[in-house]
Amino acid sequence: MKIISILGSTGSIGVNTLDVIARNPTRFKVVALAAGRNLPLLKRQIDTFGPGIVSVIDDEHAHQLNEMLGHSATVKILSGEGGYREVASWKKVEMVVSAIAGAAGLSPTIAAIDAGKDIALANKETMVMAGELVVERAASHGVNIIPVDSEHNAIFQCLAGHNRKEVKRLILTASGGPFLHLPPKQFAYIKLEDALRHPNWEMGRKITIDSASMMNKALEVIEAGWLFGMDVGSIDVCIHPQSIVHSMVEYVDGSVIAQMGVPDMRGPISYALSYPERLQGAVDTLDLCRVGTLEFMSPDCAKFPALKLAYEAAGKGGSAPAVLNASNEVAVAAFIEDKIGFGDIPLVIKEVLDSHQTREIGSIKDVLEADGWGRIKAGEIVEKRKIS
Ligand code: MG
């Protein structure tokens, strides 16, 4: 029985993780949950799974949850970053599913690593912001990081049983998102609801917008570099609209190993939770004859500048990827609030990166400073570009 804690239990990854756990009650037990503001869903999760500890975004929500649960509840209710860190390091837990979206996931993930918990990593921002520190810290605590992100989980599977020294190239697949075939001139008219309509994957808002701009893939390139110890120059992106091939590894002899499956996040989640074993019937059977055609094409970097920005930021190293991530979070939030257009998102990020003096990163404090700087700068640029 593996004892599990979930950071981000009411988000898309959290809900799918609980579904996997519910279907495998003899293998997994969840004892700790961290959520944000979705109290009705968190209450249902508490009633169903009976965790010993939960944490929510702030004191006010903790108070409301307490009222909702009534006095007979035995669950310990915490709040804020301290609460998240406690959920991440809760004594009996063996594996922490890190699925809080954005930079907010960094601190609790670090707490889990420091407490020696294995990590099922869905929060890519942790690796983008602080990859080098996270990898070092995980190694020194003997912690395994198993990727949940479908592409990285695929690469993890394609690497199993092979000699890492014989890897030539990682190939991340990307669906291309809803605007793959939209002419660039139309980008100015993209509405929030258009960007939220992803063709293949059901995901949270932030990651769905990131998929539409291809920033999600951009962040994934940086994430893959740290997770697999590869230079980003040896990581390519390939558009594959069917999302059946979840990513590939090319070896020195020209062999390419691909991992395939139906697009269902319960696949990579199941593999991460049960690794090195596989769960019976984790997702539906893939019928390639019914799928019929698999297409692959190069990404259009002129239409989707995010990819180029990520390679640039990764090349600069140090604080640049954290600044890239921070400015993206601010720009996406501004787009959601209708302050800037969809096409402005990469322009804001580029302007922030161009005005950033790259610094070395020696500690989490340095990472958070770079993140803070990026947010302020991006906020200023958003104000200048604001649609009146
Ligand atoms: Mg992904």
Side-chain angles (χ1 to χ4, degrees):
M1 180 80 89
K2 192 178 271 181
I3 310 294
I4 291 168
S5 163
I6 304 176
L7 302 171
S9 70
T10 56
S12 170
I13 295 288
V15 167
N16 277 305
T17 301
L18 286 170
D19 183 69
V20 171
I21 291 171
R23 292 194 292 155
N24 295 277
T26 58
R27 300 189 65 127
F28 308 118
K29 182 168 171 53
V30 65
V31 297
L33 300 173
R37 297 180 176 85
N38 189 345
L39 300 185
L41 178 54
L42 179 60
K43 182 183 181 297
R44 285 204 298 279
Q45 293 176 344
I46 293 168
D47 292 343
T48 307
F49 295 95
I53 176 175
V54 299
S55 184
V56 291
I57 189 99
D58 52 28
D59 284 350
E60 195 192 318
H61 285 81
H63 181 72
Q64 281 178 35
L65 181 65
N66 205 9
E67 298 275 294
M68 284 164 73
L69 289 171
H71 296 296
S72 58
T74 53
V75 59
K76 181 173 173 184
I77 302 171
L78 301 172
S79 67
E81 195 182 308
Y84 290 161
R85 293 175 67 92
E86 205 161 321
V87 165
S89 52
W90 189 240
K91 52 188 188 284
K92 290 171 277 184
V93 168
E94 296 166 78
M95 175 172 256
V96 174
V97 178
S98 168
I100 292 177
L106 176 65
S107 162
T109 306
I110 295 285
I113 292 172
D114 288 348
K117 316 294 190 191
D118 281 343
I119 307 290
L121 185 72
N123 170 286
K124 65 196 68 176
E125 291 84 354
T126 292
M127 278 299 183
V128 173
M129 295 171 73
E132 191 169 8
L133 297 176
V134 169
V135 167
E136 276 172 17
R137 228 149 154 150
S140 74
H141 285 93
V143 161
N144 295 309
I145 299 178
I146 319 281
V148 168
D149 210 347
S150 63
E151 296 79 359
H152 305 77
N153 191 272
I155 289 170
F156 187 77
Q157 295 191 44
C158 295
L159 288 170
H162 292 86
N163 185 345
R164 290 283 179 112
K165 292 197 182 101
E166 292 173 346
V167 173
K168 186 176 172 196
R169 192 164 64 113
L170 306 181
I171 306 158
L172 294 176
T173 53
S175 70
F179 310 133
L180 179 60
H181 301 296
L182 191 74
K185 278 186 192 157
Q186 308 271 324
F187 272 45
Y189 308 107
I190 290 171
K191 297 254 181 308
L192 178 60
E193 58 266 31
D194 304 326
L196 287 175
R197 216 173 286 134
H198 194 277
N200 303 341
W201 297 96
E202 281 284 335
M203 301 176 293
R205 273 186 151 203
K206 195 254 174 188
I207 187 171
T208 305
I209 307 274
D210 282 349
S211 296
S213 70
M214 292 216 56
M215 181 49 84
N216 181 52
K217 206 54 49 182
L219 298 176
E220 287 181 357
V221 168
I222 302 175
E223 180 189 10
W226 290 118
L227 275 173
F228 305 113
M230 296 282 288
D231 188 277
V232 292
S234 305
I235 305 173
D236 288 343
V237 171
C238 175
I239 304 287
H240 167 47
Q242 291 79 19
S243 296
I244 297 293
V245 173
H246 297 142
S247 277
M248 298 173 262
V249 176
E250 183 183 337
Y251 288 89
V252 289
D253 62 353
S255 282
V256 176
I257 311 276
Q259 190 266 340
M260 293 191 264
V262 294
D264 182 337
M265 280 312 293
R266 288 173 300 185
I269 291 168
S270 298
Y271 190 74
L273 295 189
S274 64
Y275 173 81
E277 290 172 40
R278 289 180 184 273
L279 292 182
Q280 198 73 247
V283 295
D284 290 343
T285 297
L286 170 63
D287 184 348
L288 278 176
C289 296
R290 259 183 81 182
V291 175
T293 307
L294 299 180
E295 298 169 284
F296 300 93
M297 59 199 93
S298 299
D300 182 344
C301 289
K303 205 163 113 178
F304 299 103
L307 275 178
K308 205 168 149 263
L309 293 172
Y311 282 102
E312 270 173 33
K316 285 180 190 163
S319 53
V323 167
L324 170 89
N325 178 66
S327 53
N328 179 55
E329 287 191 22
V330 171
V332 169
F335 170 65
I336 290 175
E337 290 163 22
D338 205 20
K339 286 184 181 165
I340 59 170
F342 183 78
D344 292 324
I345 296 173
L347 300 177
V348 170
I349 299 165
K350 183 170 173 12
E351 211 175 320
V352 175
L353 276 177
D354 285 349
S355 61
H356 180 61
Q357 284 275 352
T358 304
R359 302 230 182 108
E360 283 197 17
I361 294 287
S363 66
I364 296 298
K365 189 168 157 274
D366 295 343
V367 173
L368 296 176
E369 261 173 35
D371 177 78
W373 184 89
R375 280 169 201 278
I376 291 168
K377 193 77 197 170
E380 289 168 12
I381 294 165
V382 162
E383 282 307 308
K384 273 195 306 184
R385 295 191 156 267
K386 207 162 160 180
I387 304 163
S388 48

